[in-house]
Amino acid sequence: MPEPAEMNRADIGKMAVSGVPGSEGKDPVANGHAENESNPFAEYMWMENEEEYNRQVEEELLEQEFLERCFQEMLDEEDQDWFIPERDLPSVGQIQQQLNGLSVSDGNAEEILRKSILNPEAKEFVPGVKY
């Protein structure tokens, strides 16, 4: 391309009409795209399916959220099924309260035996053994 000092009036006129150096002889297009371009909106074609894309992304996000909820529920159920001593056993304070409430007295044993309807002559129960 010639330097601006070397350009004649015809070159300057062609450049002024097209606005882009090197596009001499080509008709300008009002939207700024070249006339030989097959689709002047090619760079915006991704927007054509924008709603479908948004729907697909939303479905993926909902599915991911659902899976996370299911996984958390599974972990919660697993925690309930497992024996965790800190959670499932009574504290030392609770055990002491229960022990303080207990009393041992032999005087009451004879009265309990007298009122009992159990057979004192019955064989000892052994699980799994049939009599």
Side-chain angles (χ1 to χ4, degrees):
M1 180 168 144
E3 292 295 322
E6 299 172 1
M7 292 181 155
N8 61 25
R9 285 189 179 171
D11 290 336
I12 293 173
K14 288 179 185 174
M15 189 173 140
V17 170
S18 69
V20 180
S23 62
E24 295 85 14
K26 297 179 183 171
D27 292 331
V29 179
N31 64 7
H33 293 279
E35 192 176 320
N36 61 353
E37 220 177 291
S38 63
N39 186 355
F41 300 105
E43 64 183 283
Y44 303 105
M45 290 307 290
W46 66 271
M47 292 179 170
E48 179 181 19
N49 298 325
E50 184 177 12
E51 290 177 8
E52 176 66 25
Y53 176 77
N54 286 344
R55 185 191 59 76
Q56 182 181 2
V57 169
E58 187 175 349
E59 282 180 4
E60 290 174 5
L61 290 173
L62 290 173
E63 182 179 347
Q64 182 179 5
E65 181 183 333
F66 175 74
L67 289 174
E68 288 174 1
R69 271 197 327 258
C70 288
F71 188 73
Q72 188 59 44
E73 286 178 17
M74 181 185 71
L75 290 176
D76 292 343
E77 288 176 6
E78 192 174 273
D79 283 346
Q80 291 173 359
D81 293 342
W82 284 73
F83 175 74
I84 302 172
E86 296 85 23
R87 181 191 70 193
D88 298 332
L89 290 178
S91 69
V92 174
Q94 291 173 329
I95 293 174
Q96 285 178 343
Q97 282 180 339
Q98 290 174 353
L99 288 175
N100 290 337
L102 296 177
S103 65
V104 178
S105 66
D106 288 334
N108 225 6
E110 290 177 16
E111 185 179 333
I112 293 174
L113 286 175
R114 211 171 346 109
K115 292 180 180 178
S116 173
I117 57 171
L118 296 175
N119 181 1
E121 305 298 324
K123 292 183 182 179
E124 183 179 345
F125 174 76
V126 180
V129 175
K130 294 187 179 183
Y131 297 101

